[in-house]
Amino acid sequence: MGLFDRLRAGLAKTRERLLKAIPWGGDPEEVLEELEMALLAADVGVAATEELLKEVRASGRRDLKEVVKEKLVQMLEPDERRATLRKLGFRPQKLRPVEPQGHVVMVVGVNGVGKTTTIAKLGRLYQGLGKKVLFCAGDTFRAAGGAQLAEWGKRLGIPVIQGPEGADPAALAFDAAQARKARGLDLLFVDTAGRLHTKQGLMEELKKVKRAIGKADPGEPGEVWLVLDAVTGQNGLEQAKRFHEAVGLTGVIVTKLDGTAKGGVLVPIVRTLKVPIRFIGVGEGPDDLQPFDAEAFVEALLEA
């Protein structure tokens, strides 16, 4: 199965919710009324839905489905220059494989979103692109968190910097950042806690980890990626806001899109945070983590 076919299969639940509800060939106002309800049900959100409907009405065009597709693609484009080009009718070049800035990617997110598994998939992906990868098992507060990433490292042949359960995650991240430099490796993925049982808050702990990485390797981490479970819908957007305020996100990875009809949540994430979706997870397989392409995503959502 090709990448697009896996994407279509993974978005089946959201697509069914959108397509079953909308009589595209009917009266335009009836179409827009049903579209509004379908978008809200898919967790596109009130503000983004109102913005989209306003622009569709203002276009004055009859081929409503094509207009909706164009507007959704624009709304999923956080880069204002590329979004402007799209509005002017140009189609920017397709995005190349995601090339992280710098050498350290700090991966954040609450427990249960698939953070550690996503890191393993990222390691496999960048290995395939010829990168030399290192993992840091920085979720030292979760029982077996380090063991899980260590097992993935063993399977993939990726070295793992690991400490005992309850170890200081900032100190571990510092050691990992130094180890990456010393070994001349290309990429370090730092797993982090998603929940703490201490008096210190999660966000303060993550800030501390980020500062420690910068002390060990000035200018790093070049990326801070949030892993978000699509099933959480609008709650995921609130999570994203808090993480962005704390550690300054540079990208979002949305997992479990195959298990939900709320795939529209990608729109308010990009619209609100102005942070790009880097990857999406459309299945459990090792190759089901795909670089995000707005056009392919919208095509898979709205084509029967």
Side-chain angles (χ1 to χ4, degrees):
M1 189 184 290
L3 281 176
F4 184 72
D5 291 329
R6 287 206 297 273
L7 178 60
R8 285 193 81 257
L11 292 174
K13 290 186 178 181
T14 303
R15 180 174 61 254
E16 183 180 7
R17 170 165 282 177
L18 286 172
L19 293 184
K20 280 182 92 173
I22 305 169
W24 290 109
D27 176 74
E29 278 306 313
E30 182 184 347
V31 173
L32 291 176
E33 184 177 327
E34 294 298 334
L35 175 63
E36 180 178 15
M37 298 305 296
L39 291 173
L40 291 173
D43 257 11
V44 171
V46 174
T49 296
E50 289 178 350
E51 179 184 326
L52 187 145
L53 292 174
K54 181 180 178 181
E55 293 199 17
V56 171
R57 284 192 171 94
S59 73
R61 287 164 53 182
R62 298 287 297 181
D63 52 343
L64 294 182
K65 190 173 185 180
E66 287 305 308
V67 182
V68 170
K69 285 166 68 173
E70 288 173 15
K71 298 305 178 187
L72 279 174
V73 171
Q74 289 170 14
M75 293 173 82
L76 285 164
E77 179 60 79
D79 185 304
E80 291 188 11
R81 179 174 171 274
R82 288 172 62 93
T84 300
L85 287 172
R86 289 190 190 281
K87 286 183 179 180
L88 293 174
F90 294 99
R91 297 184 68 179
Q93 280 188 325
K94 282 191 176 292
L95 295 173
R96 296 176 181 177
V98 179
E99 189 70 37
Q101 295 294 312
H103 299 283
V104 181
V105 181
M106 184 175 163
V107 183
V108 302
V110 300
N111 285 353
V113 296
K115 192 157 48 7
T116 303
T117 304
T118 297
I119 289 172
K121 291 181 179 181
L122 288 168
R124 185 177 189 273
L125 186 152
Y126 285 104
Q127 266 188 330
L129 295 174
K131 302 291 186 183
K132 292 179 286 186
V133 180
L134 176 66
F135 290 156
C136 172
D139 186 1
T140 60
F141 296 97
R142 181 167 63 92
Q148 184 185 4
L149 192 59
E151 179 59 31
W152 275 113
K154 185 178 178 181
R155 289 187 209 174
L156 297 169
I158 294 175
V160 180
I161 302 298
Q162 184 182 1
E165 187 177 328
D168 180 1
L172 199 62
F174 182 92
D175 291 344
Q178 285 197 323
R180 185 212 63 80
K181 282 200 304 180
R183 300 180 194 182
L185 303 179
D186 300 304
L187 281 174
L188 164 64
F189 289 97
V190 180
D191 196 2
T192 60
R195 181 165 58 102
L196 296 180
H197 297 287
T198 65
K199 292 180 180 178
Q200 189 175 28
L202 171 62
M203 298 308 170
E204 290 305 313
E205 187 65 50
L206 293 177
K207 291 177 187 178
K208 184 180 170 186
V209 170
K210 187 177 181 182
R211 289 195 300 270
I213 293 170
K215 287 178 182 176
D217 194 354
E220 300 291 352
E223 302 276 3
V224 181
W225 290 349
L226 170 70
V227 179
L228 204 61
D229 183 340
V231 178
T232 60
Q234 290 294 308
N235 287 335
L237 177 58
E238 291 306 311
Q239 288 176 23
K241 287 178 182 176
R242 291 198 293 273
F243 279 102
H244 193 37
E245 289 167 2
V247 289
L249 303 177
T250 62
V252 178
I253 300 171
V254 183
T255 63
K256 307 179 187 178
L257 277 165
D258 57 313
T260 181
K262 298 180 179 181
V265 74
L266 274 68
V267 175
I269 288 172
V270 174
R271 182 180 177 276
T272 303
L273 303 182
K274 303 300 182 186
V275 170
I277 307 294
R278 296 295 193 190
F279 295 90
I280 53 175
V282 291
E284 294 299 320
D287 297 317
D288 288 330
L289 185 70
Q290 297 187 16
F292 179 69
D293 180 287
E295 284 190 52
F297 180 82
V298 172
E299 192 75 19
L301 271 185
L302 295 180
E303 283 304 318

